[in-house]
Every structure is written in structure tokens, then in C-alpha cells.
């Protein structure tokens, strides 16, 4: 129900008013690699969700447990196919 949450805490995340971060996810087979501002931070196997990923579904969610009035926006969202 609703999938699994992957939480990543990192000092690489810029914080504060006007902070900008570049987030990346590279999918290779059943593995996901996560990047923050160009630096690798975590890997996760998603083999149990393989049928879901075969159809190209993607979702992005960000939130905070510390600032209930925080806002998040996305721009320049791009998906690349890499051989």
C-alpha cells in the first residue's frame, strides 16, 4: 500500500531559505542509486517491486519532519534513458 519510503539524511543537503539541491536517482535493473548535489549517498534494491518498475512508473515525494510550514518545489525535472 503506497510503496516503501526511502529516507536519506545527509549533510550534503543545503538547507535554509532559498536553498537549492540537485537530486538524482539512477535505476539499473532492480537497483536504485541516490545522489544529492552530484554525490552518491545510498543504494537500494527494489527487486520486490520489479513488476511495477517494468512499466516505467515514477513518483517523487519530499517532506520534512522538522518544519511543518516548509515548502518544496521542483523544476527542470528530466528522465534520461542511458544504454
Amino acid at each position: 500500500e503506497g510503496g516503501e519510503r526511502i529516507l536519506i539524511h545527509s549533510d550534503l543537503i543545503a538547507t535554509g531559505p532559498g536553498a537549492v539541491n540537485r537530486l538524482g536517482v539512477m535505476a539499473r535493473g532492480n537497483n536504485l542509486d541516490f545522489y544529492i548535489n552530484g554525490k552518491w549517498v545510498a543504494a537500494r534494491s527494489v527487486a520486490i517491486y520489479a513488476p511495477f518498475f517494468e512499466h516505467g512508473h515514477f513518483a517523487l515525494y519530499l517532506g520534512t519532519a522538522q518544519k511543518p510550514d516548509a515548502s518544496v518545489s521542483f523544476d527542470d525535472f528530466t528522465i534520461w534513458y542511458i544504454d
Side-chain angles (χ1 to χ4, degrees), residues 46-71:
V46 291
I48 63 172
Y49 301 111
F52 180 76
F53 285 106
E54 288 176 4
H55 300 288
H57 297 279
F58 184 83
L60 185 61
Y61 167 83
L62 274 92
T64 177
Q66 298 171 344
K67 301 274 186 184
D69 61 345
S71 65

Side-chain angles (χ1 to χ4, degrees), residues 35-56:
Y35 298 83
I36 299 173
N37 296 321
K39 304 285 186 184
W40 180 88
V41 293
R44 184 76 167 184
S45 172
V46 291
I48 63 172
Y49 301 111
F52 180 76
F53 285 106
E54 288 176 4
H55 300 288

